[in-house]
Amino acid sequence: MPEIQENDRTAELQAAVRDAIADGEPVAIRGGATKAFYGRDSSGRPMEVSGHSGIVHYEPTELVVTVRSGTRLADLEALLADNRQQLACEPPHFGTDATVGGMVAAGLAGPRRPWGGAVRDAVLGTRVLNGAGEVLHFGGEVMKNVAGYDLSRLLTGSLGVLGVLLEVSLKVVPRAPAETTRILELGPGEALSHMVHWGGKPLPLTGAVQTGGCLYVRLAGNGSAVAEAAERIGGEDLNDGEAFWRDLREQRLPFFAGSEPLWRLSVPPAAPLTDLAGDCLIDWGGAQRWLRSYAEAATVQAAAAKAGGYAAAFRGGDRTAEVFAPLSPPLLGVHRNLKRTLDPHGLFNPGRMYADL
């Protein structure tokens, strides 16, 4: 396991925020920059947090780890793996320099999301540097401390527009003793029907995706439960299932190659397939649909809304335009108030989520 460097740069980051306030210049928060493609284009003086690293507290029996935001995600996962533990949300890295802070700021979860929970479900507490140069502490290291208006989870997926993450306390889970992946030759419609059906059954599912004319189903748990579920589902064993799910998570499967813009549609699992032009990959047991298409943004957004969900322009396309689903006026007002409260000078990643935030 790589050694995790211990380096507390809180005072240095505070000074950088105060300098930005004095100069009236916004800042672009940067960790490993592995998710710089995500969200709208944003500008500002770089604020490097990748050097703010280290494990603050970890006792494996407590199933909680507190870590500084600049710690490499791969190093944290290696530490957890040494103790037969993992992050249930199975977050993507998109590069070797991915950091824990970037994971939380982006809020992106991998194939295990419907069964293991979202990134925000793992966040128990945070230390945050706000736009006034103050260090704030939200939540704690146990679930009973996470109550009321939980700003720690609100920060998850905010792309750094509300503050600079300094520390994060994360819930971890034991690794399953047995795991297998089954592969069945099924088209999108039939595969979706199977996903929805199995999703309502007491099966040890941890992944279900359709791509390239095949349905892939991952099962994890104790050996007897996995073996029984595999026989019930049918199909054949995939020789290197671990590599498949890793390549899906990191978007290295053949589906993700190409120049077409990549859209992420979040919809109810049983929502019918859309008639949008382009190639589609069905993930999360039907709840996440990846679409490669040159379709107009309004067309994709309308199709997702009709299906009961929303769409985001994930990669490619015009990153100066709005890339996330439009907000209703009341919800936009809530976002503006939060931004004004935590970042009164409008310093952090201006416009990264929406043009006027």
Side-chain angles (χ1 to χ4, degrees), residues 133-146:
E134 303 165 329
V135 175
L136 308 179
H137 189 184
F138 302 114
E141 290 190 337
V142 292
M143 287 301 298
K144 68 181 182 180
N145 290 339
V146 183

Side-chain angles (χ1 to χ4, degrees), residues 166-232:
L166 297 174
E167 291 177 10
V168 185
S169 294
L170 297 164
K171 178 173 60 176
V172 302
V173 298
R175 295 177 69 91
E179 181 176 297
T180 190
T181 296
R182 304 292 282 183
I183 178 172
L184 300 85
E185 293 187 11
L186 293 173
E190 193 174 2
L192 182 60
S193 177
H194 280 71
M195 290 180 189
V196 173
H197 174 71
W198 290 330
K201 303 297 181 182
L203 297 171
L205 292 169
T206 60
V209 60
Q210 195 281 338
T211 183
C214 291
L215 170 61
Y216 299 82
V217 180
R218 183 174 59 186
L219 304 162
N222 66 59
S224 60
V226 168
E228 181 180 344
E231 183 177 354
R232 181 174 179 179

